Amino acid sequence: MEQFRPPHQVQRDTELALAFREGNLDAVRTLCDRFGGLVFTVAHRIIGDGQRAEDVTQHVFVQAWRLADHFDAGQDFAPWLAMIARGSAIDALRVEQRIPIVALDYADPSDSALVMLLPSAEQVETVWSVRTAIDSLDPNEREVIRMQYLQGHSHSEIAEQLGVAVGTVKSRSQRAHRRLATRLGHLEQDVDK
């Protein structure tokens, strides 16, 4: 496929891919701007509803960011993103088919699902900042943080699974927290405003 693209386009896409893989927010924005229409079109053709296709589009770019390290920097983004969009749209349809639709007249007004708003751009950027900070940790520290917060394990459970002393887990956790506090200090300032 590269032979059909001008060399400057291949170089620009390769640079974008490398920046994207590193979690560079400008690269992510560029990717969304450049390929958002393609992703939306693929999702809309499968789902047939504009609003749901927009939701899938947003999900696709989050998935792409999560899978960025699997992307070959020398390839086109378009087929890769279209494949993720297709899979995400099909998954969205499958989920909808399993969930019975209930008229809103019968829904509980206090149900949080009825009033939940989509995340703002600031919230998405905050999540990406946190994820980038965690991904930049030393692999041992990153593993402890993920096991602790994403899997809900205690220090002793982590120590047992990793085959290290509880003190080692605690020191890795403490170092990771100090590094995260330094890298994410700007988020605390934003909350104070």
Side-chain angles (χ1 to χ4, degrees), residues 35-44 53 56-58 60-61 81-82 85:
F35 297 103
L38 167 73
V39 170
F40 176 82
T41 301
V42 170
H44 191 269
V56 168
T57 299
Q58 190 174 41
V60 166
F61 285 105
L81 287 170

Side-chain angles (χ1 to χ4, degrees), residues 105-123:
D105 297 342
Y106 302 108
D108 181 1
S110 65
D111 187 347
S112 63
L114 297 177
V115 294
M116 187 169 196
L117 300 175
L118 293 174
S120 67
E122 292 82 18
Q123 290 169 320

Side-chain angles (χ1 to χ4, degrees), residues 55-75:
D55 294 342
V56 168
T57 299
Q58 190 174 41
H59 175 74
V60 166
F61 285 105
V62 171
Q63 282 296 102
W65 186 73
R66 287 181 181 149
L67 298 170
D69 58 337
H70 297 289
F71 179 73
D72 180 4
Q75 298 297 313

